[in-house]
Amino acid sequence: MAEVRAEMVANVWKVVVQEGDTVSEGDTLVILESMKMEIPVLAEDEGVVAQLKVGEGDVIQEGDLIAVIE
């Protein structure tokens, strides 16, 4: 199991995956927006998205849980 956490304060601009989706290492999970820049959050492991903890428009803080991949 791998937890994907936010590395910075940002807005969730777009959610690319859904719970139950299979992802590979390097796949984009969500796209964050901070200071007019789009920052993709990538899967660090392959597996299935077990939990998705953010939605489009959410404001997240550094360290917040974005997703769990099993």
Side-chain angles (χ1 to χ4, degrees), residues 1-2 4 17-27 29 42-51 67-70:
M1 180 174 70
V4 179
V17 298
Q18 297 179 351
E19 289 184 1
D21 286 357
T22 300
V23 295
S24 299
E25 182 179 343
D27 285 356
L29 304 174
L42 307 178
E44 296 177 4
D45 295 300
E46 63 180 38
V48 175
V49 179
Q51 298 176 45
V68 175
I69 298 174
E70 293 184 340

Side-chain angles (χ1 to χ4, degrees), residues 3-4 9 16 48 50 60 62 67:
E3 291 184 344
V4 179
V9 176
V16 179
V48 175
I60 57 174
E62 182 176 346

Side-chain angles (χ1 to χ4, degrees), residues 8 12-13 16-17 20 22 27-28 40 42 58-61:
M8 66 186 73
V12 178
W13 181 69
V16 179
V17 298
T22 300
D27 285 356
T28 300
L42 307 178
D58 289 355
V59 176
I60 57 174
Q61 304 296 315

